[in-house]
Amino acid sequence: MRKEKQEILTVPQFYDCQVIEASALQVVWGINEGDLLGLPDSLCLGDMYSLRPDATPIHLRLQIDAKTCLATDQPATIEGLRPGATVTIQAELRLMSNDGDMVSALLLHCDTRILLLPLTPMRVGVRYALIELDTGVEYLRMTELVRGCFATGARVTMEDGSLCPVEALSPGMQLRTRDHGPQTLRWVGQVTQRAHGVFAPVTFTPGTLGNLGPLSLGPLQRIFLYQRGEGRLGGRPEILVQAQSLVDGVRVLQREGGFVTYFSLVFDQHQIIYVEGIPVESMLVSRATVARLPKALAQDLEQRFPHLNQHAHFAQDMPSADVTEDIRASLLQQKER
């Protein structure tokens, strides 16, 4: 049987994001105390950084082509940065706050500017310890930037245990959460996109994770998994794994074609909810996540949640690169009924 070739993304895509000047982060404790965030050679693990109160996010438009090369386009809000200037990734940083929040960020170099692109939220005034520095990151994949969510037809568990299709939900409804009982749904976002490339939904066949029916999620939608026994992935029994990390081509599929409508759900706090009977995260409201939404959705969400400072769930985030084929098979086997 001839295998179908995976379609390669050849059309350049644009991504609008918010970055901060590296000079807005200063070492407040450690070997480099008093120094500003710089290039990888100058950084020391264990140093604690704080984001200045006057730090201002900067709008940057990136053009990403089929080879995942990264270039700026119309960077009008960054003084002295040439349109079309090549952006290189110097390193991926992992930082941990005093209260345990984990932050991933990319250190970018463009012309003479050093910029930081947070992939997870950062809070002003909080101390972050640099715990990991990866200089092997050579390019930026669109999948690292596209937010995940639930596709049409996914059924969400309500307060009384009944299931409601995500497209039928509305603010004010009570949904069941894993950690805080029934919670009021505050906001529902909806966007329709071509199911192409990194926007193609990931579909779990019934029973793969114990899910009651077929479940289609955005590639970056994170699933809550509880691990038992020895040989656990990561240091905690509770982990959050992106849907794309579990694609095996048999039970978990990612297929392109047509259009897909994605829904995002927001509560007063970041929650773990149940969709088709399995625990998944709600949308985390923060400056970093709002920056990745279409403009209309972002404006609506900013008006309803002006502070945009939700804390991420305590479960450990598991990067896709750490989920090997063996680990993927083990996770899926554990969760099958």
Side-chain angles (χ1 to χ4, degrees):
M1 181 181 295
R2 187 177 66 180
K3 294 184 178 180
E4 294 183 0
K5 293 183 179 180
Q6 184 176 3
E7 185 175 353
I8 298 176
L9 183 64
T10 58
V11 179
Q13 297 202 31
F14 294 93
Y15 169 67
D16 290 289
C17 62
Q18 286 186 323
V19 297
I20 55 176
E21 294 272 13
S23 57
L25 276 165
Q26 186 174 29
V27 179
V28 293
W29 183 90
I31 295 176
N32 294 322
E33 185 171 353
D35 291 352
L36 303 176
L37 180 67
L39 294 174
D41 289 346
S42 67
L43 306 183
C44 292
L45 297 181
D47 280 356
M48 300 192 74
Y49 289 82
S50 182
L51 188 61
R52 292 204 323 254
D54 61 346
T56 303
I58 303 169
H59 173 79
L60 179 64
R61 170 167 286 189
L62 304 174
Q63 178 182 313
I64 304 173
D65 65 19
K67 297 180 181 179
T68 62
C69 295
L70 197 112
T72 62
D73 177 75
Q74 301 174 352
T77 58
I78 301 184
E79 183 180 354
L81 192 60
R82 296 178 295 108
T86 299
V87 177
T88 60
I89 299 179
Q90 299 296 304
E92 180 174 359
L93 310 182
R94 294 274 287 177
L95 305 106
M96 184 172 67
S97 70
N98 289 338
D99 55 4
D101 276 356
M102 300 294 295
V103 170
S104 296
L106 296 176
L107 192 62
L108 308 179
H109 190 260
C110 187
D111 282 350
T112 60
R113 312 295 288 272
I114 303 175
L115 307 169
L116 191 71
L117 170 57
L119 299 176
T120 44
M122 294 193 74
R123 291 174 283 158
V124 172
V126 174
R127 291 189 171 195
Y128 291 95
L130 179 61
I131 62 173
E132 189 175 333
L133 176 65
D134 182 3
T135 56
V137 182
E138 298 179 351
Y139 51 83
L140 182 62
R141 297 180 177 87
M142 278 295 292
T143 50
E144 293 175 309
L145 302 174
V146 181
R147 292 300 300 174
C149 31
F150 317 112
T152 303
R155 297 176 299 171
V156 181
T157 302
M158 309 301 289
E159 176 186 15
D160 60 1
S162 62
L163 300 178
C164 179
V166 65
E167 62 270 23
L169 294 175
S170 59
M173 290 183 169
Q174 294 285 307
L175 276 62
R176 181 176 295 180
T177 70
R178 179 184 184 273
D179 303 301
H180 302 107
Q183 292 291 314
T184 302
L185 180 62
R186 298 299 185 189
W187 185 83
V188 180
Q190 177 180 338
V191 62
T192 299
Q193 297 170 318
R194 288 187 178 276
H196 178 76
V198 297
F199 296 98
V202 173
T203 299
F204 294 80
T205 56
T208 299
L209 295 176
N211 45 305
L212 302 174
L215 175 60
S216 293
L217 307 172
L220 287 196
Q221 175 62 49
R222 296 191 301 178
I223 299 166
F224 180 94
L225 298 176
Y226 184 85
Q227 306 173 102
R228 297 179 175 84
E230 298 180 357
R232 294 186 295 209
L233 179 62
R236 306 180 195 170
E238 302 93 351
I239 60 174
L240 286 165
V241 179
Q242 294 173 358
Q244 65 176 356
S245 302
L246 299 176
V247 173
D248 64 357
V250 180
R251 295 162 293 181
V252 186
L253 309 169
Q254 187 172 19
R255 294 175 174 169
E256 298 183 319
F259 291 82
V260 60
T261 298
Y262 287 124
F263 296 84
S264 299
L265 307 180
V266 173
F267 300 83
D268 288 328
Q269 299 176 357
H270 187 224
Q271 300 289 351
I272 300 297
I273 60 175
Y274 295 90
V275 181
E276 292 297 339
I278 65 170
V280 297
E281 69 170 345
S282 67
M283 181 178 172
L284 176 66
V285 179
S286 69
R287 291 290 176 190
T289 54
V290 169
R292 300 183 178 110
L293 291 174
K295 185 176 180 180
L297 290 184
Q299 290 178 342
D300 184 30
L301 194 56
E302 285 181 318
Q303 290 175 357
R304 296 172 185 271
F305 296 85
H307 300 296
L308 299 174
N309 59 353
Q310 289 186 350
H311 286 211
H313 192 270
F314 64 83
Q316 183 176 355
D317 178 41
M318 191 54 53
S320 292
D322 292 349
V323 183
T324 64
E325 184 176 348
D326 290 343
I327 289 173
R328 181 187 305 114
S330 176
L331 290 173
L332 293 177
Q333 185 176 9
Q334 289 179 29
K335 296 301 175 180
E336 280 185 330
R337 286 188 168 181

